[in-house]
Structures are given as structure tokens and as C-alpha cells.
Amino acid sequence: MISVRALVFMGLLAACVPGNSEAPETGAAEIEAFQAPADQREATYYIRPTMSVPTTADLSRGDVPRDEYGRPYTYEYLGQALPDFSGQLTTGEIFDSAQLEGQWTIIRVWGLWCHDSRGELEQAAQLSDALNASPGDEIGFMSIHVPQNADRADYATRNYESVGAFFEEAGYLYPTVIDADARLRTVLKIRWTPSYLVIAPDRTVQGFRTSLADAGEDGVEQFVQDIQKTRRIWAASN
């Protein structure tokens, strides 16, 4: 079994229905920055546990509030511990979620079958590089490749023989767990791909967002800033 921390620092590069290790103190103004009025928020924004849902959200699917495109305004485990899970990495080794304990980790949940996931491949690689650029921060980055559903599992990798074959052709790699039968998608209640989960050292989900392709030209940079703000807010209350 190999840890996310080990994989991250071994020199790895970094619409569909994821410097100093001590974070500095935060203030009320920074917390307030995450408290925009619900009806002024888009589902494409970065979402924290304290945020409320817009009154205009679509509730017709019976799971989570969504925008008109189907993107969720929240994540069901936001502010809670991520459920236990395990799975095989593209390297053949086994990953267990217990290995998330003790460090910040960003999990990208995606699928090659998904147009929106393919549309942000460049941003995902940039995010992996950005998080790995400052080893002292010790923010892990990994992904879980999921099918659309169990019935569509055979189409999950689209035109690629495997997820590993995709990474080989793309010329970069980050730790990726393969969900071969949508079991992990179900356990983790993934309602949208791609989704990003920001996991704290206590394994609680402290942030969530959908595709980086919808975040504009500075989307990766802004997401990294949001992650750092989240770390400071969490550290101030723990």
C-alpha cells in the first residue's frame, strides 16, 4: 500500500451526471469572504460548509439542489467526514482512505467518458503542478476515476484501453484510484463529474467545487487561494 504523501513527492507531474505546513491565523474578514449571499452565488463557485443554497435552486431530482445546468450547489458530505473507501491505483497498488489522515488532500473525481472532465484536463494538470510546487505545504493531490453509472462502466475510459494508457499518452500522472463499477461513486455520493473535494487532516470535507473549466482564466490560481483560505479557517477553529 502506498500513501498519497509518498506519491505526491516522488516526482509525479502533475456536463456529466474530484511553504509552511502550519497555516497562519485567519481573521473575520477572510471568513466573511466566503459568506456571499446565497442568491448571488453560482454552482460553479467554490463552496464551503457554511454556505447556504440559493432559493432558486432546482430540487426536482430529489438528491441535491442544482442550477439550471444540473450542477450541484453543495456536496452531501460537506462539513462531515468523508466515508471510508479503498481501491486500486493505476499503478496496481491499493489505496485506502485511512491514508488521508493527517494532511490536506485535494481529490478530483472525474471520468474520461465525461465531456466536462475532458474539457478541463489541462487545468487539472496545472492544479496538480501548483500544489506540488511547494513541498513544504504538503497538500496532496489525487483523483478517483469513475464511470457514469454501473450500467455504463464498460464505456468509462471512452476510447482508451485504460486510465493508465490515457496518462501515458498525456505525458503526466497523478495518483488515481479506479472505480471500475461505480461503487465508489455511490459510496461518496458523487452527483457531478468533475468534482473536487478539499479534505482536511481530520478527513472532513471542507470545500467543494465543480469543473475548473467553468472558473475562468484564473480558475486554478483562485482555487489554490480558496484552498489556502480554507486551511487557515479550519486551523483557527481546531
Side-chain angles (χ1 to χ4, degrees):
M1 187 178 296
I2 189 167
S3 69
V4 175
R5 186 191 304 265
L7 284 166
V8 167
F9 297 111
M10 283 172 60
L12 300 176
L13 295 174
C16 309
V17 224
N20 190 322
S21 60
E22 293 186 3
E25 294 184 0
T26 188
E30 188 160 63
I31 296 176
E32 184 67 23
F34 278 129
Q35 306 302 321
D39 288 336
Q40 294 181 19
R41 288 196 295 105
E42 302 289 343
T44 55
Y45 287 7
Y46 178 70
I47 300 170
R48 287 267 299 138
T50 55
M51 292 180 173
S52 56
V53 173
T55 57
T56 56
D58 178 10
L59 304 175
S60 64
R61 300 197 192 190
D63 48 22
V64 292
R66 299 172 183 266
D67 68 3
E68 69 280 0
Y69 190 54
R71 290 172 293 224
Y73 278 108
T74 190
Y75 174 58
E76 283 152 287
Y77 289 116
L78 198 60
Q80 304 177 42
L82 192 70
D84 294 336
F85 70 93
S86 62
Q88 189 173 53
L89 294 158
T90 56
T91 58
E93 295 166 283
I94 300 299
F95 173 83
D96 189 283
S97 59
Q99 297 165 232
L100 299 172
E101 190 82 30
Q103 77 162 32
W104 286 89
T105 306
I106 313 305
I107 302 178
R108 179 188 187 225
V109 187
W110 65 295
L112 285 167
W113 57 271
C114 169
H115 176 271
D116 284 11
S117 291
R118 297 194 308 274
E120 58 137 48
L121 290 171
E122 182 178 350
Q123 289 95 331
Q126 290 172 356
L127 177 62
S128 175
D129 285 344
L131 295 175
N132 291 340
S134 302
D137 275 347
E138 297 185 354
I139 302 177
F141 182 79
M142 63 174 292
S143 77
I144 303 173
H145 185 276
V146 300
Q148 185 175 10
N149 53 53
D151 292 337
R152 299 279 289 169
D154 290 342
Y155 184 67
T157 58
R158 202 165 178 258
N159 299 323
Y160 291 92
E161 182 179 348
S162 65
V163 179
F166 159 75
F167 279 125
E168 184 175 354
E169 180 178 306
Y172 59 84
L173 178 65
Y174 39 77
T176 298
V177 174
I178 304 301
D179 179 12
D181 55 7
R183 176 180 57 87
L184 297 184
R185 181 175 192 132
T186 300
V187 167
L188 300 179
K189 295 187 178 179
I190 301 302
R191 308 299 187 185
W192 187 263
T193 49
S195 290
Y196 291 84
L197 311 179
V198 179
I199 312 301
D202 62 357
R203 294 171 58 187
T204 57
V205 184
Q206 293 297 319
F208 166 80
R209 71 155 299 118
T210 54
S211 177
L212 287 170
D214 297 323
E217 293 183 2
D218 300 326
V220 172
E221 180 181 356
Q222 182 60 56
F223 188 28
V224 172
Q225 292 175 8
D226 289 336
I227 293 167
Q228 298 293 11
K229 289 178 183 177
T230 298
R231 294 176 68 206
R232 293 193 287 271
I233 292 170
W234 182 85
S237 59
N238 288 272

